[in-house]
Amino acid sequence: MTDRLGDRLVTAREEGFVGRRRETAAFRALLAAGRGAVVYVHGPGGIGKTPLLPHFAQLARRAGRPAVRLEAAGVRSYEEELTERIPDRPDLVLLIDGLDDPRVARDTVHRELLPRLPADALVALAGRTAPPLSWRLDPAWQGLLRLLPLGPLDEADSRELLTRRGVPPAVQDQGLAFTRGHPLALALVADVAAHGGEAAGADPSPQIVRALLASLLEAVPTPLHRTALEASSQVLSTTEPLLAALLQVADARLYFDWLCGLSAVESGLRGVHPHDLVRDALDAELRWRDPERRAALHRRASAYYQRLFTQEDDRARQRAVLADFAYLHRDSPVVGPLLEPVARGAAGAARLDRLSVSPGPVSGGELVEACTIAAIHEGIEAARLVHDWSRRPEAETYTVRGPDGVAAGFYTLIKLGGAPPADAPDVPDDPAVRAARGWLAEHGELRGGETALLVRFWMSRDEYQAVSPVQTLITLRLTHHYLTGHKPAVTLLPFADPEFWEPGCAYVDFARLPAADFTAAGRRFGMFVHDWRRVPALAWLAMLTERERAEDPFTVTPPAASDPLRVLDREEFAEAVRDALRGLVRADGLRDSPLLRTRLVAGRCAAGEAGPKERAAALRKAVRAAAAALEASPQDRRAFRALHHTYLRPAGTQARAAELLRLPMTTYRRHLTAGVARLTELLWQEELEGGGPEDGGPGAGEGDRPGGPPEVSRPE
């Protein structure tokens, strides 16, 4: 009998079939069992559903069972198919592809076709999305329905596919890096290579990208839907409020729901995100097609993340969003390689999400785990220091735990003033702390109440201080400490390999500080420093945003105020507050206030941009916010009322204020004195902390001060 072309095509397809050993084994087992079952194959477009069904058909024929394949969109009615093409045999194998086609009523298959098949029939269905929840919850389907989600091919199968398609081994690595095991993408790479083009590289060709997008993505209804899809490719995960900010619309529910319904978009704990291959394809296309739109989306995302630190008190959300902020910097040649666990998109974020940080400073068994990790990497003396510092109130140790609950790393924070406490003989003799205190005493300019934060230890159990998910999570958690927790005046951060980390530290405005280097266990540690009084938290975030989109990030210098900030001591500050209260309600009453050039006001103004009126408004806001805190406190309420009738809404004279409060003059004055003292205390605390990200806009930087930390220079 003469072979037909169709037979040759079937044979060629089967010979070219690669991988899917798990799915093949599962289907063979169902064939051998001889009992009825419904296999539901699902996965995004191009993942290999359509080639898998013919493979299943071949397996059925080899087992001596009749196999019928249907395209769901081509079926006029299942009544006709049952009459004309689907035999009424107990050993029937029926395969139906394309159940996600919009022209197909999937429930018709569920309700009308499957119940009419022989009881022992084996059915394989394929679609981009999993079957409806109603199918999976229906008791009648228990034991019959088997889900087979398809994912990418592993590296060995991907390489075999490229080899069978004739892609030379020398160029396979590029294709593997771009396609990430996606069968359609591998086939496209092979096709381009067969025609003499480049398989794929870090910047895949527009032709490959367009072909991928055409197959992977459903129809895009409107240009704004397209923008929503592009926006989702630029951020680590998309939530509905973030999408509204990216699209600049008041309500993004329509577009968010549409994204959720795409087979190429996955849902996770953080929000929704495209499959990594789809993300790469969308990003690559947007990069060459509309780089200005791409940059605008990055700016909007960065602004949204920064608003979370100014308008929300949800610490957990703030911590989580730092990974999203870091993801925007994935393309940076300076810090991109250092952010590898985040830059890997959904897979990297999932690895971070499987780690957790202890909710508070550790003790007991957790402390023993931290000491063990320290001993492994830095020796017994380091372990002793971790233990000894755990007994001190100025030190805190936190562990990073893996999904198995075992410590995967730890870090230790120590709050430092200019000199060790005279009445604390049990302070550990620590070379890092000695070096840090020495620099702080000479150059730190810490005022009473200000502290420096020394990150004394930080390490992963398995990778020490190398780039890893544990290192990345520690970095993000430390950043949250700087921004919202400890709010130090200065952060000191040591590295065992300072040369490796110096470019990345320069990018984030941590300057090399050789004067504070130290030696421990025979190893030289290099110290880096950031002064939050010079570049406050939100100004720092704004600087990183500018550096992320700059061609040369080091041309973006840290923000500086037009005039140096004034550093007032406690008594000078208190006197300035009393003067400010007296001028609070006059139009120009704060014009000459020394507080206008303090950290208190700078932390509430745009970096380097605020004029006298803006600074005066920021000072008024700070005073009224502190007064509102007094009003909210039951024990301070009487003091607040005296302040209110004297300075906030003055009665005219103190005698009139006392009369309004129905208090004797002596009692009124006692309450007023207490109110001024408490208000000053609150404002002084904000002055020391430089305001908080939740309190105001980006802060102004401080002018150069003699003896201050060295300026960040561009690394060679």
Side-chain angles (χ1 to χ4, degrees), residues 517-550:
D517 287 356
F518 63 94
T519 300
R523 175 185 287 160
R524 183 77 173 176
F525 288 80
M527 191 74 77
F528 293 80
V529 64
H530 179 82
D531 191 330
W532 299 101
R533 298 166 298 185
R534 298 175 63 240
V535 183
L538 289 181
W540 180 72
L541 291 175
M543 177 200 71
L544 293 182
T545 297
E546 293 299 320
R547 286 186 170 181
E548 181 267 322
R549 60 177 180 260

Side-chain angles (χ1 to χ4, degrees), residues 326 329-344 467 507:
H329 298 258
R330 63 193 179 276
D331 295 330
S332 167
V334 179
V335 296
L338 308 180
L339 297 171
E340 187 270 340
V342 171
R344 290 180 57 200
V467 175
Y507 185 95

Side-chain angles (χ1 to χ4, degrees), residues 224-225 227-229 231 242-249 252 255 297 300:
L224 204 53
H225 284 80
T227 302
L229 194 54
L242 172 59
L243 186 61
L246 296 175
L247 298 181
Q248 296 185 310
V249 298
Y255 308 102
L297 290 171
R300 295 169 193 170

Side-chain angles (χ1 to χ4, degrees), residues 349-367:
R351 292 177 69 189
L352 288 182
D353 290 339
R354 288 194 289 270
L355 301 172
S356 61
V357 177
S358 57
V362 300
S363 59
E366 290 182 306
L367 179 62

Side-chain angles (χ1 to χ4, degrees), residues 286-618:
L286 188 61
R287 190 190 302 270
W288 64 261
R289 183 172 59 83
D290 196 344
E292 292 183 3
R293 182 197 294 268
R294 185 175 187 271
L297 290 171
H298 278 229
R299 285 195 300 272
R300 295 169 193 170
S302 181
Y304 174 81
Y305 300 143
Q306 291 183 59
R307 282 197 297 274
L308 288 180
F309 284 94
T310 64
Q311 299 174 1
E312 293 192 10
D313 293 325
D314 186 344
R315 296 298 178 87
R317 177 65 179 135
Q318 289 173 346
R319 284 195 295 268
V321 85
L322 282 171
D324 298 72
F325 186 83
Y327 183 72
L328 295 177
H329 298 258
R330 63 193 179 276
D331 295 330
S332 167
V334 179
V335 296
L338 308 180
L339 297 171
E340 187 270 340
V342 171
R344 290 180 57 200
R351 292 177 69 189
L352 288 182
D353 290 339
R354 288 194 289 270
L355 301 172
S356 61
V357 177
S358 57
V362 300
S363 59
E366 290 182 306
L367 179 62
V368 171
E369 290 179 298
C371 291
T372 301
I373 295 171
I376 291 171
H377 294 291
E378 295 187 9
I380 296 299
E381 179 62 19
R384 184 188 65 80
L385 286 171
V386 173
H387 177 269
D388 290 350
W389 278 117
S390 71
R391 300 178 175 180
R392 297 291 307 164
E394 66 269 32
E396 298 175 341
T397 293
Y398 298 83
T399 55
V400 177
R401 315 196 77 74
D404 56 1
V406 178
F410 81 98
Y411 59 94
T412 297
L413 308 177
I414 303 176
K415 292 181 181 179
L416 300 176
D423 58 346
D426 59 335
V427 173
D429 183 17
D430 188 331
V433 173
R434 286 200 308 271
R437 288 194 190 281
W439 182 82
L440 289 168
E442 186 173 353
H443 301 299
E445 296 185 346
L446 296 181
R447 296 173 290 179
E450 283 186 332
T451 60
L453 184 66
L454 170 65
V455 184
R456 175 57 184 97
F457 296 101
W458 65 274
M459 62 189 73
S460 161
R461 178 193 62 207
D462 299 328
E463 295 90 1
Y464 186 39
Q465 291 185 358
V467 175
S468 70
V470 172
Q471 168 269 326
T472 299
L473 182 60
I474 290 175
T475 299
L476 297 177
R477 186 55 64 93
L478 290 175
T479 302
H480 191 257
H481 275 291
Y482 309 152
L483 297 180
T484 64
H486 293 265
K487 297 180 183 175
V490 173
T491 293
L492 296 161
L493 181 60
F495 290 86
D497 186 0
E499 288 74 23
F500 173 80
W501 289 99
E502 186 166 4
C505 284
Y507 185 95
V508 297
D509 198 40
F510 272 67
R512 186 73 173 86
L513 197 63
D517 287 356
F518 63 94
T519 300
R523 175 185 287 160
R524 183 77 173 176
F525 288 80
M527 191 74 77
F528 293 80
V529 64
H530 179 82
D531 191 330
W532 299 101
R533 298 166 298 185
R534 298 175 63 240
V535 183
L538 289 181
W540 180 72
L541 291 175
M543 177 200 71
L544 293 182
T545 297
E546 293 299 320
R547 286 186 170 181
E548 181 267 322
R549 60 177 180 260
E551 184 173 346
D552 180 354
F554 295 103
T555 60
V556 179
T557 58
S562 55
D563 296 312
L565 295 185
R566 293 193 62 172
V567 180
L568 304 176
D569 63 28
R570 184 67 170 79
E571 290 304 318
E572 291 172 330
F573 187 88
E575 181 59 35
V577 170
R578 289 192 289 269
D579 288 341
L581 286 171
R582 287 190 285 268
L584 191 67
V585 298
R586 299 201 309 270
D588 60 349
L590 301 179
R591 182 182 57 190
D592 299 321
S593 173
L595 298 175
L596 295 180
R597 290 296 176 189
T598 60
R599 196 178 178 207
L600 167 72
V601 172
R604 291 174 170 271
C605 297
E609 299 293 333
K613 290 184 179 180
E614 290 77 12
R615 288 180 174 272

